[in-house]
Amino acid sequence: MSSKRLKQAKKNLPLHLMLLPGVVLMLVFAYVPMYGIVIAFQQFVPAKGLFGNQTWVGLDNFRIVFTYPKIWQVLRNTVWISIWKIVLSVVVPVVFALLLNEIRLKVFKRSVQTIIYFPYFLSWVVFAGILIDVLSPGTGIVNTFIKSLGLDPIYFLGNENWFPTTVITTDILKTFGFNTVIYLAAISGIHPELYDVSAVDGANRWQQVIHITLPGIKIIVILLTVLGMGNILNAGFDQVWNLLNNNVLSTGEILDTYVYRQGILARLYGQGAAIALMKSVVSLGFIGSSYVIAYKYLNYRLF
Amino acid sequence: MTKHKPSKSRIVFNVFNYAILGISSLIAILLFVHIVALSFSDNTAIVSNQVRFLPVGFNVEAYKMLFQDTRFWRAFGISVRRVIIGVSINMTMIVLIAYPLSKYTHQFRMRNIYMWFFFITALFSGGIIPMFVLLNDMSLLNTVWALVLPTAVPVFNVILVLNFFRQLPQEIFEAAEMDGANEFQKLFRVALPISKPVLATVLLFSIVGHWNSWFDGILFSTTIDAYPLQSYLQTIVIRQDFASAGITDPDSIAQLSNISMKTAQIIIGMVPVLMIYPLLQRYFMTGIVLGSVKE
């Protein structure tokens, strides 16, 4: 090793020291659980521990999982809910950002922003608690309003046909404000001269939106869509588990809730881990390709 | 640009635009007001659908009962403890990891190896079952450590801070080095004092994250006595699973099933977030601009 190398290695020692606690924590709490996916190939007995002498069963757990009559239904529910979420979580915020961008009254603009992104910071427990109250067919204020119009009450959370719609809509309600602010930030980054020049050329406001604003935020829209597609198998455990009930399992059960139900609650550790492993591998593929696409075609650099 | 009179279609658009945005915001506020009104209302008025936006049969019974509910406040205390310990660990980890990773490979050769070591954990995880088994093996179930150690390194917040460090003018670090500062001094004396906006952003995200998370509390506790508040609310308010909370006497169950009691608990559960919301708002933009619109 040259003396220059040695000198740099010595100089970098503090950097290694800084990283050490994080590396140790990640080894224990991220990499050991990654090793723990071997549970999917075992007849796992928790009492023996993660590194204990477990019985290996090859692919048995996977075979059993695929004989579950529900597995394909669960997969379909997951993909259906998440695709709608991915699409609407781009469309709704973009529309709101465009509308908000036309507001000249600063106080009004700021108040609307403050109100619409507050729910983003609430836990799903709190938000679901509110939803369960206001959507209740008997005493909920939403159904009171629907009934006052002379219509029948809607079982938003108790009817299997309504449940996915309710999940998708309420997720958008909770998160669209946050994304709206992202797009507003992107819009405010567009050079004002572009608008001035086009106004001189006689472009009206609508033409400016089509030809300047939308192209100006195109990259960030595509980027967030691409990155969102990595979540195709994550239909939102935090939300769905808080809203799910036995009446709507046929349309509402998603992969993550199913893993929890089978793997932890029913204590079928091996089978739960098998589903989780397949999900993780497929998700890794989706997330990995979405990053690669974003990196290659959108010049996105995360770090 | 000369100001000219807005066209007719522009006026119509403006009216609709203000109306749409105004009405949607108003609905959101009204729903919130409705929830607050429910918590102060008489239960018979609630079940007969009389409560809109003002309490009917105003009373503070729900809050009175809630303040005497030792289970609720134990869970609240666990959440506070979790936030204090968890956020301290998060901030320490974020700063200590982001700084070395903000170096370029010609300054710190191992940088990319470390970067991928951390980033991989954001891409792939073993899932909840191995984590449960691991914490069980380590006898950490039912302790606050089961809630703060698996989440010790929030990788995306690390990336946010490291990108901020990279935008700082390199000259100040070089100047500090001339003065004989080592890397620790460069981090704590030079970088941190001028990184307050991004540190405030990740601090607030970390507080909200720890306060709001509920699933790990349920997953990594075998008794409701070890639940943080959001896990407790999930059990009592959402699932109404009184049996696993050891609540068996009919009076308590009837009280806890009241809508006013449920909404009171939900409201107290969001008060901390409400309290830091003005701060969140101020630093939130910084975080977003740094995190997402980076080219």
Side-chain angles (χ1 to χ4, degrees):
Chain A
M1 202 190 278
S2 71
S3 67
K4 197 176 157 216
R5 272 260 187 98
L6 200 71
K7 210 174 137 199
Q8 210 203 13
K10 204 177 153 196
K11 202 174 136 245
N12 283 343
L13 188 67
L15 300 178
H16 292 285
L17 280 177
M18 287 178 193
L19 288 163
L20 186 65
V23 169
V24 172
L25 278 170
M26 282 311 219
L27 279 176
V28 177
F29 292 102
Y31 284 92
V32 170
M34 265 187 231
Y35 161 78
I37 55 179
V38 294
I39 292 172
F41 306 95
Q42 294 172 336
Q43 171 99 53
F44 188 74
V45 182
K48 293 187 197 164
L50 203 53
F51 298 101
N53 188 19
Q54 305 281 352
T55 317
W56 294 85
V57 294
L59 294 174
D60 279 5
N61 289 322
F62 293 86
R63 271 187 219 111
I64 297 170
V65 162
F66 280 109
T67 62
Y68 287 166
K70 285 187 65 184
I71 191 78
W72 298 109
Q73 189 185 52
V74 168
L75 189 64
R76 215 171 32 240
N77 295 344
T78 308
V79 173
W80 176 252
I81 291 174
S82 63
I83 284 183
W84 275 104
K85 280 187 181 176
I86 292 166
V87 172
L88 290 178
S89 70
V90 173
V91 175
V92 176
V94 167
V95 170
F96 259 83
L98 292 178
L99 291 179
L100 265 175
N101 191 47
E102 297 302 318
I103 299 288
R104 291 284 157 268
L105 201 59
K106 280 255 169 61
V107 189
F108 185 82
K109 193 173 171 181
R110 210 175 307 126
S111 316
V112 172
Q113 282 188 47
T114 304
I115 294 162
I116 63 176
Y117 71 64
F118 178 63
Y120 179 85
F121 295 103
L122 294 178
S123 78
W124 262 112
V125 171
V126 164
F127 200 63
I130 295 173
L131 290 174
I132 291 167
D133 265 344
V134 301
L135 296 178
S136 144
T139 56
I141 193 165
V142 175
N143 270 312
T144 307
F145 176 72
I146 291 174
K147 282 183 268 187
S148 75
L149 298 175
L151 302 167
D152 288 334
I154 296 170
Y155 287 68
F156 290 102
L157 295 167
N159 178 310
E160 53 187 16
N161 295 321
W162 271 99
F163 188 79
T165 312
T166 309
V167 164
I168 294 159
T169 313
T170 55
D171 181 65
I172 298 301
L173 281 179
K174 189 171 183 294
T175 57
F176 85 96
F178 185 88
N179 293 320
T180 300
V181 176
I182 294 180
Y183 293 121
L184 268 179
I187 291 175
S188 69
I190 299 173
H191 284 296
E193 303 94 68
L194 289 175
Y195 293 99
D196 295 346
V197 170
S198 72
V200 172
D201 290 346
N204 63 29
R205 208 51 206 147
W206 176 247
Q207 287 166 327
Q208 288 180 336
V209 168
I210 298 293
H211 296 292
I212 301 172
T213 315
L214 281 180
I217 60 170
K218 192 178 76 184
I219 295 289
I220 182 98
V221 170
I222 298 173
L223 177 66
L224 292 185
T225 314
V226 168
L227 295 182
M229 285 192 298
N231 282 320
I232 193 118
L233 293 184
N234 291 324
F237 176 85
D238 272 13
Q239 174 194 21
V240 174
W241 189 256
N242 279 305
L243 298 176
L244 199 59
N245 54 75
N246 288 333
N247 298 323
V248 295
L249 288 180
S250 64
T251 58
E253 184 92 280
I254 57 170
L255 275 174
D256 286 334
T257 58
Y258 199 49
V259 169
Y260 180 47
R261 201 186 296 279
Q262 293 292 325
I264 301 275
L265 296 181
R267 292 169 202 267
L268 299 167
Y269 298 99
Q271 294 167 32
I275 305 176
L277 174 58
M278 286 187 282
K279 193 207 145 200
S280 282
V281 170
V282 175
S283 281
L284 179 65
F286 275 107
I287 296 170
S289 1
S290 68
Y291 277 117
V292 170
I293 293 171
Y295 185 90
K296 266 194 160 162
Y297 299 103
L298 301 165
N299 205 25
Y300 174 66
R301 300 289 179 271
L302 183 60
F303 51 80
Chain B
M1 206 172 111
T2 50
K3 275 237 154 85
H4 48 81
K5 237 178 86 190
S7 68
K8 210 176 199 173
S9 62
R10 180 74 195 163
I11 295 170
V12 173
F13 169 78
N14 275 341
V15 169
F16 272 102
N17 195 13
Y18 275 93
I20 290 168
L21 294 174
I23 290 170
S24 18
S25 308
L26 193 66
I27 291 174
I29 291 180
L30 285 178
L31 282 180
F32 187 76
V33 171
H34 171 68
I35 292 292
V36 176
L38 285 176
S39 72
F40 287 108
S41 289
D42 184 57
N43 211 50
T44 45
I46 296 173
V47 292
S48 57
N49 275 333
Q50 293 175 36
V51 183
R52 296 284 182 275
F53 308 111
L54 286 174
V56 177
F58 179 89
N59 68 81
V60 291
E61 277 311 303
Y63 289 95
K64 252 195 211 154
M65 284 189 304
L66 191 53
F67 278 104
Q68 291 161 4
D69 187 343
T70 48
R71 288 190 184 87
F72 182 89
W73 293 106
R74 177 172 49 209
F76 194 99
I78 293 172
S79 276
V80 171
R81 230 164 83 82
R82 175 201 179 141
V83 168
I84 293 170
I85 300 174
V87 171
S88 313
I89 295 178
N90 281 163
M91 292 308 287
T92 312
M93 286 302 137
I94 289 172
V95 167
L96 285 181
I97 296 169
Y99 178 74
L101 295 184
S102 73
K103 301 282 174 191
Y104 292 88
T105 35
H106 67 85
Q107 299 164 305
F108 183 32
R109 273 161 41 85
M110 299 268 283
R111 186 257 173 196
N112 282 348
I113 296 171
Y114 280 116
M115 190 69 234
W116 278 99
F117 173 85
F118 287 107
F119 189 56
I120 283 170
T121 65
L123 291 178
F124 189 83
S125 84
I128 55 175
I129 294 168
M131 185 62 90
F132 173 81
V133 174
L134 172 70
L135 293 169
N136 188 24
D137 286 0
M138 297 172 81
S139 307
L140 291 179
L141 296 185
N142 297 324
T143 69
V144 73
W145 304 108
L147 310 178
V148 298
L149 291 180
T151 52
V153 183
V155 174
F156 284 98
N157 286 343
V158 169
I159 292 174
L160 201 66
V161 175
L162 90 83
N163 282 327
F164 187 89
F165 284 161
R166 286 194 152 184
Q167 289 164 358
L168 297 174
Q170 288 302 304
E171 298 83 57
I172 52 170
F173 292 111
E174 284 157 19
E177 206 174 306
M178 297 284 196
D179 294 342
N182 65 28
E183 295 292 352
F184 278 96
Q185 288 162 332
K186 273 159 51 182
L187 167 59
F188 288 103
R189 301 242 173 94
V190 181
L192 289 192
I194 51 174
S195 304
K196 280 187 192 127
V198 75
L199 293 176
T201 307
V202 292
L203 174 75
L204 290 164
F205 281 174
S206 171
I207 294 174
V208 174
H210 272 294
W211 181 262
N212 279 349
S213 74
W214 58 275
F215 185 48
D216 50 1
I218 291 175
L219 200 54
F220 304 143
S221 310
T222 53
T223 155
I224 197 165
D225 295 347
Y227 280 11
L229 188 63
Q230 302 292 326
S231 314
Y232 176 83
L233 292 179
Q234 214 273 337
T235 311
I236 298 296
V237 178
I238 306 282
R239 280 193 295 121
Q240 302 256 291
D241 180 2
F242 303 118
S244 71
I247 303 171
T248 46
D249 79 292
D251 283 351
S252 306
I253 292 178
Q255 278 177 359
L256 288 167
S257 308
N258 278 349
I259 290 180
S260 55
M261 186 68 175
K262 286 202 244 174
T263 45
Q265 295 182 82
I266 288 170
I267 288 166
I268 303 288
M270 70 165 113
V271 159
V273 176
L274 212 54
M275 272 166 26
I276 62 165
Y277 188 51
L279 285 173
L280 267 172
Q281 242 189 312
R282 183 171 348 142
Y283 290 107
F284 176 66
M285 278 306 281
T286 329
I288 280 182
V289 174
L290 291 171
S292 315
V293 200
K294 187 176 68 76
E295 293 283 321

